[in-house]
Amino acid sequence: MRFTVLALCLLCAAAHAAAPPAVIGRAWLIGDLSSGQILASQKPDERIEPASLTKLMTAYLVFTALRDKKLTLGQQVPVSQRAWRAPGSRMFIEPRRPVSVDELIRGMEVQSGNDACIALAEAVAGSEEVFVQMMNREAARLGLKDSHFMNATGLPDAQHYSTAADLYRLAAALIRDFPAEYAQ
C-alpha cells in the first residue's frame, strides 16, 4: 500500500544526524520502525486534524475485514448515494453501479477517494457511523490514546483529531500487521 506518509515512518540511515530535518508542519515525528526508536519530533502529542491520514485507519479496518474473510477483493460493493455524494477528493464511482473491493482500495490509496472510503466503510460495517465506532474501538486497542474519529474520510470535524505520535503508531501497526498489503 502506498500512502504518502511524510515524516511518519522512516528507516533512517542517518540516525546520527546532528539536527533534525526541516519539516513544514506544526507537528511531526520520525521514527525507526525496526527498533521503535523515535529519532526526532516536534509537538508529537499535539492534537491535529489528521485529514487524509484518517485513511490509514480506514485501510487498517478494511484489511482486517479481508484477513477475517468478511470481504474479498473481488466482491462487488453497491455504491450508495451517500458515497456518491462524498465531498472532497474522489474516485468518481457511480451510484447503484457495483465496484469491486479491490478497485475501491485503489481509489482510496491512489486518489484518496472519499467516495471509496465511504463505500468501503458501508461494505465492512453496514454504515459509516458503525464503521466510525469500529475505528474508535480499534484506535483504543492499538493504544492511540489521543485520537478520535468522526468519519472514514478525514473530512473536517471538531471532534475528529489525532496526533503525530498516534499516526506513527497507526502507520507502524499497518505495516506490521499487513505487510503484504503495504508492499503493493
Side-chain angles (χ1 to χ4, degrees):
M1 181 169 86
R2 297 167 201 221
F3 279 105
T4 304
V5 183
L6 178 62
L8 284 179
C9 298
L10 293 177
L11 294 173
C12 184
H16 303 291
V23 175
I24 298 173
R26 73 175 198 245
W28 52 271
L29 183 141
I30 298 172
D32 179 348
L33 292 180
S34 62
S35 70
Q37 181 181 4
I38 303 304
L39 303 172
S41 66
Q42 177 176 302
K43 301 179 184 178
D45 298 316
E46 180 178 313
R47 282 188 180 174
I48 56 172
E49 291 182 11
S52 284
L53 292 178
T54 298
K55 292 171 175 83
L56 292 170
M57 181 59 84
T58 300
Y60 193 94
L61 289 177
V62 169
F63 294 153
T64 299
L66 287 166
R67 180 196 64 208
D68 296 347
K69 309 274 191 254
K70 294 178 181 175
L71 289 179
T72 65
L73 289 174
Q75 180 178 334
Q76 296 294 303
V77 174
V79 177
S80 69
Q81 287 288 323
R82 182 175 181 165
W84 178 65
R85 294 180 191 275
S89 57
R90 308 167 38 111
M91 71 174 278
F92 298 101
I93 53 180
E94 297 177 29
R96 295 179 303 277
R97 183 169 171 252
V99 62
S100 73
V101 168
D102 188 49
E103 290 172 304
L104 290 170
I105 290 170
R106 297 290 169 241
M108 175 181 64
E109 293 176 344
V110 176
Q111 295 169 293
S112 193
N114 292 338
D115 51 355
C117 290
I118 293 170
L120 285 165
E122 292 170 346
V124 170
S127 72
E128 186 179 15
E129 292 78 16
V130 173
F131 188 80
V132 167
Q133 292 172 11
M134 293 171 65
M135 293 172 80
N136 287 311
R137 278 194 304 272
E138 192 63 23
R141 189 189 73 76
L142 291 171
L144 311 183
K145 59 183 175 23
D146 294 312
S147 293
H148 186 262
F149 299 99
M150 294 299 292
N151 57 65
T153 62
L155 289 170
D157 184 292
Q159 296 301 311
H160 191 94
Y161 56 82
S162 191
T163 65
D166 277 359
L167 291 170
Y168 172 83
R169 286 183 199 96
L170 176 56
L174 192 59
I175 292 167
R176 177 193 67 232
D177 296 345
F178 301 102
E181 289 80 358
Y182 176 75
Q184 292 181 352

